[in-house]
Amino acid sequence: MTSREKLKHTFQLLQLERQADLEQYRQKVLMRSLHQRVKEGVTWYPVRLLRDYIGTGERVMIEIERTNQLEQPHSFQSGKVVSLFTNASGKPEKQHVNGVINYVRENMMAVTLNGDDLPDWIDDGSLGVDVMFDEMSYREMEYALKKVMEAEDNRVAELREILLGDSQPALPDTKHISNGEHVSSILNESQRSSVEKIITAKDIGFIHGPPGTGKTTTLVEAIRITILEERQVLVSAPSNAAVDLLVEKLSNLGLNAIRIGHPARVTEQSLSKTLDARISEHQHFKELRSLRRKMEQLRHQAGQFKRQFGHHEKQNRRLLREEAKLLKSDADMLEFYIINDLLNNADAVCCTLVGSSHPVLKGRKFKTVFIDEAGQALEPACWIPLLKSNRVIFAGDHCQLPPTIKSHEAATQGLAKTLFEKGIAKYPQLASMLQVQYRMHESIMEFPSRYFYNNELVAHDSVKHELLRSHESPVEFIDTAGCGFTEKQDPETLSRFNQEEAELLIHQVEKLAESVGTSAWLDEKITLGIITPYSAQVDRIQRLAESSAILEPLHRLISINTVDAFQGQERDVIAISFVRSNEKSEVGFLSDIRRTNVAITRARKKLIMAGDSATLGSHSFYSELIDFLQKKGFYRSAYSL
């Protein structure tokens, strides 16, 4: 296949994904009654308005609260597009206004509304909020793919042929190695080597960062040194959280990082770095605000004229409207100047992959784009910032979780394979893997290192022998084979759960907490993550943990969630429930072993796993894992407990 044929295939897969995503949205939101939507967690109803105020960037914000106080899972999270609606009686149809979620805390949500004013029906009561379908992301990805396919005799066409075609990247530019003298001395040897490769790369480069190896530290250093050379770079990632972290790290180095994107999608720490916040701090902002206020006053005055008026009033209204129009034109020109002044003086322009299509960046070109979390980034999304760049540096780990894809057909036909994964396989010489990990006890690290990372990971001295307690084994696998702990399927969500395995795991965690002691656990702030691949099992484990008298005092230090939700995080203790236990020895989506790599490598000092070796052992990866655990003395049968 030529590069264009590959992109055409990717475009078709993206269409499949859009259809699957829209169908899921239709099934969950559009086709359901209000009662069903509330139960599904895609609608909050009823809600009451707590307060409204003007937030960052002169935007209208509201805080609302669920009044039914339901403690149930839901689909609302920061950055999602939502629709605020009223069901007040006497209204001819459901009225609504869209907005973006700033944050969700228990039963409270803050939303930035689209538009300049609160809707007039907001005080009529019967308010609710629906999750909306994200159409814009698909539009931008499709547009980018088309532009890359059409590219001819330009830099985009060259990068397309290097990444997907038959062109070879240029040899490293060794004259730039002198910049290696500026590399921070806090970096270890493999990190320094990685940064030096990035400095000398002419077209593309890769930072391969296994768990705990300081990928972000290395990436930020590579960005800092590139800014010395190029003065300005574009920094991007698929998730808002990853972009915010980079903004924070770059700002801590004294760099002028500016965050592009909707303020609602930005963490509180990064708000001051957003373009909206910077505009309001600009020396010409008072002038801009004054122009806008005058414009609004004139519009208001023009609106005072009623329909029954004579020629003189008509003339007055026309003049007022024309004056308002001129003021708007002046205000737009001034805002354009302020934005360009801010962007021209930024060291790093930071945004999500889709966010790099923001109108303020239209026509801007960057010598280098850095894409973090590239192992989780959809290929079509990566092309959006690539269209603005001459060179691309990817950072990530293709041995951890791939992008989330809703269409099974699209995933199996190649949409799950990222540009990072394709590029690192094609050009291993342009990648350097970080080798020293600063997170795990060496025994927790050993199997993932052997299986995924060519046995090249090394535990740093500060962590290699760190145990929870000197008598505690760093790893335990509890085998439930023969115990009759059979998995079941939730009829509504179709997710799997295993009640007996959940009870066994909670019992083991309770025993660990008792052996450490509540006061010592609290004093040392020992963190515990209980994770499982299945959301239905999360629900069971949460209920058991909440009803445990032993774990209740420690609840602030305990997190319970799916493996996917834990990527990028770490805890002192990790307990994993594998769930699968059946006569057919089917492991289901546990066969994506990258998910298990993520699960294991979240632990710092202790790892507890519970699973059925008879079922898991049918898969070669789990068979090898269980053999390793037996040889190391980390294996126990549930019968021996």
Side-chain angles (χ1 to χ4, degrees):
M1 284 169 92
T2 66
S3 62
R4 283 191 172 97
E5 286 167 345
K6 287 174 186 172
L7 286 162
K8 192 177 178 185
H9 177 63
T10 301
F11 188 91
Q12 289 162 349
L13 298 183
L14 187 64
Q15 299 278 28
L16 284 178
E17 174 65 2
R18 182 206 272 253
Q19 286 163 14
D21 199 357
L22 183 56
E23 184 53 34
Q24 209 173 89
Y25 173 73
R26 280 168 49 79
Q27 295 290 341
K28 278 190 166 182
V29 181
L30 302 181
M31 315 279 283
R32 302 287 177 101
S33 68
L34 181 57
H35 175 72
Q36 286 173 314
R37 296 202 312 270
V38 171
K39 198 177 168 193
E40 278 281 333
V42 292
T43 297
W44 276 16
Y45 182 85
V47 299
R48 68 187 173 97
L49 182 67
L50 294 176
R51 68 182 185 121
D52 62 89
Y53 54 100
I54 300 297
T56 309
E58 305 285 294
R59 296 171 190 248
V60 179
M61 290 185 65
I62 57 166
E63 279 179 9
I64 50 177
E65 182 181 45
R66 270 199 288 198
T67 52
N68 55 17
Q69 298 290 314
L70 283 174
E71 286 297 328
Q72 69 182 68
H74 58 75
S75 305
F76 294 91
Q77 62 192 61
S78 64
K80 284 211 171 182
V81 178
V82 291
S83 174
L84 177 76
F85 65 85
T86 177
N87 256 6
S89 55
K91 297 282 175 192
E93 58 186 75
K94 188 170 98 169
Q95 292 177 291
H96 64 91
V97 60
N98 289 357
V100 178
I101 299 174
N102 287 59
Y103 57 83
V104 182
R105 291 183 189 140
E106 293 175 350
N107 284 306
M108 200 264 280
M109 187 191 304
V111 178
T112 301
L113 297 180
N114 296 349
D116 300 327
D117 297 301
L118 282 172
D120 52 11
W121 44 259
I122 200 153
D123 295 319
D124 295 347
S126 303
L127 296 174
V129 193
D130 286 328
V131 169
M132 295 293 285
F133 179 67
D134 183 13
E135 180 72 36
M136 191 270 283
S137 294
Y138 287 103
R139 266 204 316 269
E140 294 298 345
M141 287 191 280
E142 286 168 6
Y143 175 79
L145 285 174
K146 283 176 184 168
K147 291 300 267 184
V148 179
M149 279 190 267
E150 290 164 6
E152 200 80 62
D153 300 325
N154 61 14
R155 187 57 177 153
V156 174
E158 287 173 6
L159 287 172
R160 178 190 69 214
E161 295 311 312
I162 289 166
L163 283 161
L164 299 176
D166 298 325
S167 297
Q168 288 294 310
L171 291 168
D173 188 354
T174 47
K175 77 175 191 301
H176 278 150
I177 202 74
S178 60
N179 259 335
E181 294 160 19
H182 300 289
V183 178
S184 169
S185 58
I186 63 162
L187 265 55
N188 63 46
E189 198 178 323
S190 70
Q191 289 171 331
R192 283 182 69 86
S193 161
S194 183
V195 171
E196 283 168 6
K197 266 194 176 176
I198 297 312
I199 297 166
T200 58
K202 294 278 282 180
D203 302 303
I204 55 172
F206 305 89
I207 298 173
H208 181 196
T213 54
K215 171 188 62 98
T216 306
T217 304
T218 309
L219 176 62
V220 166
E221 184 62 12
I223 293 169
R224 186 185 72 81
I225 290 183
T226 305
I227 290 167
L228 289 178
E229 180 78 25
E230 299 174 5
R231 215 206 62 70
Q232 188 180 74
V233 296
L234 181 60
V235 176
S236 200
S239 74
N240 284 290
V243 178
D244 287 339
L245 178 64
L246 290 168
V247 168
E248 186 189 327
K249 300 273 188 192
L250 291 166
S251 301
N252 289 346
L253 291 177
L255 293 166
N256 179 6
I258 198 160
R259 174 73 157 96
I260 307 295
H262 198 297
R265 294 190 167 98
V266 176
T267 59
E268 285 177 45
Q269 296 93 309
S270 296
L271 262 181
S272 62
K273 315 292 188 307
T274 60
L275 184 60
D276 290 60
R278 292 284 179 84
I279 290 169
S280 65
E281 291 165 5
H282 195 275
Q283 58 185 9
H284 293 300
F285 179 68
K286 281 181 182 169
E287 196 183 328
L288 177 64
R289 192 162 55 181
S290 167
L291 282 169
R292 284 195 176 139
R293 280 186 179 154
K294 280 182 199 161
M295 177 185 77
E296 286 304 323
Q297 282 165 1
L298 290 168
R299 275 182 177 168
H300 182 70
Q301 282 172 282
Q304 295 299 303
F305 293 106
K306 303 296 176 212
R307 288 190 177 181
Q308 303 301 320
F309 54 79
H311 176 72
H312 180 65
E313 286 85 358
K314 209 172 192 176
Q315 280 289 90
N316 263 358
R317 185 173 71 169
R318 187 177 62 78
L319 289 168
L320 286 166
R321 281 185 172 166
E322 279 180 6
E323 201 179 335
K325 217 176 192 176
L326 287 169
L327 283 172
K328 185 185 184 311
S329 175
D330 288 349
D332 289 348
M333 283 289 287
L334 182 56
E335 186 175 49
F336 180 75
Y337 164 76
I338 291 171
I339 287 169
N340 279 291
D341 186 41
L342 289 165
L343 290 175
N344 291 339
N345 287 296
D347 296 320
V349 176
C350 308
C351 52
T352 60
L353 299 171
V354 173
S356 61
S357 65
H358 196 289
V360 298
L361 297 180
K362 194 173 181 185
R364 282 190 175 263
K365 279 282 183 183
F366 299 85
K367 284 185 182 172
T368 304
V369 59
F370 288 87
I371 298 178
D372 194 12
E373 283 190 345
Q376 282 188 283
L378 278 176
E379 179 183 331
C382 286
W383 286 112
I384 304 172
L386 266 162
L387 286 170
K388 299 180 181 301
S389 314
N390 285 327
R391 183 177 84 122
V392 58
I393 306 301
F394 297 98
D397 180 12
H398 52 297
C399 302
Q400 293 186 63
L401 283 171
T404 303
I405 295 173
K406 295 186 168 76
S407 164
H408 178 68
E409 193 183 344
T412 51
Q413 287 189 39
L415 193 60
K417 198 156 192 182
T418 61
L419 263 184
F420 178 78
E421 197 175 346
K422 290 174 185 176
I424 214 166
K426 196 174 179 185
Y427 305 116
Q429 75 278 15
L430 297 180
S432 51
M433 191 182 85
L434 307 179
Q435 292 171 327
V436 182
Q437 65 83 17
Y438 298 84
R439 177 183 296 163
M440 295 162 265
H441 186 284
E442 61 182 355
S443 297
I444 298 171
M445 174 201 77
E446 191 175 346
F447 184 78
S449 174
R450 186 187 298 182
Y451 198 93
F452 293 101
Y453 305 109
N454 303 318
N455 220 8
E456 288 175 22
L457 287 189
V458 177
H460 189 260
D461 288 345
S462 61
V463 296
K464 75 189 293 185
H465 302 306
E466 276 289 293
L467 292 165
L468 195 65
R469 289 291 181 270
S470 57
H471 63 278
E472 278 292 338
S473 167
V475 183
E476 283 179 51
F477 178 81
I478 300 149
D479 187 1
T480 65
C483 293
F485 293 2
T486 309
E487 68 184 69
K488 293 184 176 63
Q489 193 168 29
D490 186 300
E492 280 192 26
T493 64
L494 303 181
S495 181
R496 311 264 167 178
F497 66 93
N498 189 324
Q499 183 68 30
E500 294 92 347
E501 187 175 288
E503 288 166 5
L504 173 88
L505 193 66
I506 287 292
H507 181 58
Q508 288 305 112
V509 169
E510 286 175 332
K511 277 169 68 175
L512 180 67
E514 283 184 313
S515 75
V516 171
T518 303
S519 58
W521 195 289
L522 290 168
D523 288 347
E524 293 172 39
K525 293 186 171 59
I526 297 168
T527 54
L528 163 68
I530 308 177
I531 58 182
T532 172
Y534 295 94
S535 55
Q537 187 76 337
V538 170
D539 297 342
R540 266 82 192 165
I541 291 170
Q542 271 174 334
R543 284 202 284 273
L544 290 166
E546 281 163 12
S547 60
S548 165
I550 297 165
L551 300 182
E552 200 285 324
L554 315 175
H555 75 275
R556 290 187 187 283
L557 294 163
I558 301 174
S559 317
I560 302 166
N561 217 323
T562 58
V563 181
D564 298 46
F566 261 87
Q567 176 139 326
Q569 300 184 44
E570 56 187 67
R571 298 290 186 274
D572 294 317
V573 182
I574 286 288
I576 305 168
S577 168
F578 284 115
V579 178
R580 300 309 295 251
S581 179
N582 55 73
E583 288 178 0
K584 293 179 181 174
S585 296
E586 289 176 348
V587 297
F589 88 146
L590 286 186
S591 59
D592 189 342
I593 55 176
R594 291 173 292 186
R595 186 168 274 103
T596 304
N597 181 33
V598 170
I600 291 171
T601 55
R602 301 309 95 199
R604 286 197 282 253
K605 299 174 183 177
K606 182 154 184 83
L607 173 67
I608 305 169
M609 295 174 278
D612 176 355
S613 66
T615 298
L616 297 174
S618 66
H619 190 286
S620 59
F621 167 79
Y622 295 99
S623 176
E624 267 191 59
L625 172 62
I626 292 160
D627 282 350
F628 165 82
L629 294 163
Q630 284 176 322
K631 283 175 188 155
K632 291 284 179 178
F634 298 147
Y635 170 95
R636 284 196 292 164
S637 167
Y639 286 116
S640 69
L641 299 178

